[in-house]
Amino acid sequence: MPSVYIKTYGCQMNERDSEAVAAQLVAKGYTLAPSEAVADVILLNTCSVRDFAEQKALNKMVNVIAETRRTRPNVVLGFMGCMAQSRGQELVDRLPDVDLVLGTQKFHHAADYLDELLAGRREKIVDVAAEQGSEATIREHLLYGNAAGNGDGRRPPLQVTAFVSIMQGCNQYCTFCIVPYTRGEERSRSIPDIVAECRQLVSQGVKEITLLGQIVTSYGKRGFGRAELLLGQDAQQRVPTTVVGRAGSPLPADGGASVPASRLVSSLAPPNDTVAHGVTRPSLQESPFVQLLDAVHEIEGLERIRFTSPHPKGYGDDLIEAYARLSKLVEHAHLPVQSGSDRVLKLMHRGYTRARYVSIIEKLRRARPGIGISTDIIVGFPGETEDDFEQTLSLAREVEFDQAYIFKYSQRRDTPAAEMANQVPQKIREERNQRLLEVINEIAKRRFGAFVGRQMQILVEGPSKKNPARMTGRTRCNKIVVFDGSERHRGQLMDVKITRAGSFTLYGDPAILE
Ligand code: SAM
């Protein structure tokens, strides 16, 4: 059978899409090649968020073409994901050696398309059309990593963490962002469907699940209808959820996807109302996303829940309350702020102010003392003045992020910001990037240093990438801890004493616990 090599650029959503495509191909009998040099199919899963990411994938394909076409002319070459979606046919016109261009709603067709190309039934395939229901097709996992499908008979170690895609698309239309154009409108999977996938993962040994989406706090608000109440006689009784599909027809409920009846509230119904069954709704109305968290939290054997990326706009009191209430929801929030200046936030169309953002952080820290907070920040957005930038520096100092991903603003086609006047010169973007990085690093050094001497619980994920002789685990507040351990620790929740802090890494010792 042919072998495939997938190289992934960009975010965790892309990682997850690549895994689902690889799992689909393995199920069809493909093997996973250890490198592109020996693969029959080479796919690049692309990112469009910044021009740099697109150029990297384009250059990579140029190199792959140069290396393969001379000696292995029959290797199938393809682009998939965000750049494939936004550029489509243009990619084949520019690089005629490319055989396949697979858009973001088409991943589940990968195996069929590759079969056709490998068999010579079709010469080129470009498919970037929208497809209804595609959000529910990212569901297969490769829990034994890249080694799965190699067929050497050895059982590779299990992955103890997994990503689960809960929705696709984004309707926020931030003026800088290409995502709504590459990922389409928001479309959510049903709660029973997601819970069934999580349950399956847990039954295979997964301990920690990260719920994924471009804007997870908008989960269930559009496109898939509403979480329907199935309140029984007793409002406290746990009941299965029924989810109404697009056309309004009830989808079959998964018997296991139960949430406390008292928490299940239709997102479309007014609060404090009386439902047909004569049961009063709770005053704190839960968003569909919090209902989903409740349902996933019920899964026995699951130890930890994470999610990314939320939008600050979606941090209502119900979500803050969920942090206080749900013990498996870990003490970490990745909350992209983008800027500390209200003027820039407005130009970005973010839908919150600096004061609102800071108040969310304060509430989260009250609900979960010690919560780790990470963020994304863009420097050099069009029209960003020195004063605006200094407000971002002051926000970083005020919030004291544990970690921040800093992006130099990149003009993206068809986005409103690309057409704005006062584009900030590249040199200033770089200089601001450097200045912000210094502030972020200084704060992180202090915050990471404060962990030394403390005892922390980690979930052991596997060998350290830098030094495979050591193991790594992750704290609930999302800090990586490296320690001397062995494969027998994999998947264990264990306490370690932090002995040293590096930049964005902690070092621990399980042996010296008091
Ligand atoms: N959905 C999340 C949100 O907006 O809150 C983040 C998704 S985005 C793919 C990841 C990060 O890339 C964003 O938070 C933003 O900081 C950065 N980003 C997006 N568009 C960008 C652009 N045109 N230039 C530079 N950075 C950008």
Side-chain angles (χ1 to χ4, degrees), residues 4 6 16-30 32 139-143 148:
V4 60
I6 305 178
R16 175 71 194 105
D17 296 337
S18 291
E19 184 199 19
V21 168
Q24 178 199 136
L25 294 173
V26 166
K28 282 263 192 164
Y30 284 70
L32 298 181
R139 54 170 66 241
E140 308 308 329
H141 291 262
L142 265 188
L143 289 182

Side-chain angles (χ1 to χ4, degrees), residues 49-50 176 214 336 338 350 376 378 407-408 410 412:
V49 164
R50 285 169 300 149
F176 53 80
Q214 277 80 26
Q338 314 299 0
R350 289 295 286 175
D376 295 340
I378 295 178
F407 300 91
K408 286 173 269 180
S410 169
R412 307 314 296 130

Side-chain angles (χ1 to χ4, degrees), residues 384-398:
E384 183 190 70
T385 61
E386 176 61 22
D387 181 56
D388 292 318
F389 175 65
E390 279 175 17
Q391 289 181 50
T392 297
L393 291 177
S394 87
L395 179 82
R397 291 196 184 98
E398 181 179 354

Side-chain angles (χ1 to χ4, degrees), residues 154-203:
R154 278 180 301 139
R155 195 171 164 80
L158 175 87
Q159 223 174 280
V160 291
T161 62
F163 292 136
V164 170
S165 170
I166 63 167
M167 67 183 298
Q168 290 285 321
C170 183
N171 284 37
Q172 176 62 25
Y173 290 95
C174 298
T175 54
F176 53 80
C177 190
I178 200 171
V179 168
Y181 313 97
T182 59
R183 291 283 180 166
E185 296 272 300
E186 287 167 17
R187 293 153 287 128
S188 301
R189 296 172 65 187
S190 72
I191 291 178
D193 195 25
I194 296 166
V195 170
E197 182 177 330
C198 295
R199 202 178 284 286
Q200 172 75 17
L201 289 166
V202 172
S203 75

Side-chain angles (χ1 to χ4, degrees), residues 111-343:
D112 291 340
Y113 287 163
L114 288 175
D115 283 351
E116 294 193 15
L117 290 165
L118 286 161
R121 287 193 294 275
R122 287 173 77 177
E123 213 179 303
K124 303 265 174 221
I125 298 177
V126 176
D127 189 357
V128 294
E131 188 172 322
Q132 199 173 349
S134 61
E135 65 279 4
T137 60
I138 308 296
R139 54 170 66 241
E140 308 308 329
H141 291 262
L142 265 188
L143 289 182
Y144 294 95
N146 265 4
N150 279 349
D152 61 2
R154 278 180 301 139
R155 195 171 164 80
L158 175 87
Q159 223 174 280
V160 291
T161 62
F163 292 136
V164 170
S165 170
I166 63 167
M167 67 183 298
Q168 290 285 321
C170 183
N171 284 37
Q172 176 62 25
Y173 290 95
C174 298
T175 54
F176 53 80
C177 190
I178 200 171
V179 168
Y181 313 97
T182 59
R183 291 283 180 166
E185 296 272 300
E186 287 167 17
R187 293 153 287 128
S188 301
R189 296 172 65 187
S190 72
I191 291 178
D193 195 25
I194 296 166
V195 170
E197 182 177 330
C198 295
R199 202 178 284 286
Q200 172 75 17
L201 289 166
V202 172
S203 75
Q204 290 171 286
V206 167
K207 302 267 174 63
E208 176 183 300
I209 284 175
T210 303
L211 303 174
L212 283 184
Q214 277 80 26
I215 180 160
V216 289
T217 37
S218 293
Y219 169 80
K221 289 194 173 158
R222 293 182 185 82
F224 101 120
R226 56 202 172 95
E228 193 69 275
L229 289 177
L230 261 192
L231 289 177
Q233 303 292 313
D234 173 5
Q236 296 309 312
Q237 180 188 327
R238 289 180 189 280
V239 293
T241 56
T242 296
V243 173
V244 178
R246 267 170 200 277
S249 58
L251 302 173
D254 167 61
S258 67
V259 295
S262 59
R263 300 203 189 289
L264 259 178
V265 180
S266 161
S267 60
L268 299 181
N272 294 318
D273 196 1
T274 301
V275 295
H277 311 72
V279 180
T280 305
R281 296 174 197 284
S283 57
L284 184 58
Q285 192 175 354
E286 287 187 351
S287 61
F289 181 58
V290 173
Q291 293 179 31
L292 173 66
L293 289 176
D294 273 318
V296 173
H297 193 265
E298 294 280 297
I299 297 173
E300 218 169 292
L302 177 63
E303 300 281 355
R304 292 174 168 192
I305 305 171
R306 300 183 187 274
F307 57 81
T308 199
S309 270
H311 191 289
K313 251 178 40 170
Y315 265 78
D317 285 345
D318 63 329
L319 183 50
I320 306 275
E321 194 257 339
Y323 272 96
R325 178 166 54 80
L326 302 177
S327 58
K328 295 177 185 178
L329 185 56
V330 294
E331 295 85 4
H332 175 246
H334 179 72
L335 210 43
V337 66
Q338 314 299 0
S339 171
S341 152
D342 281 344
R343 202 183 69 81

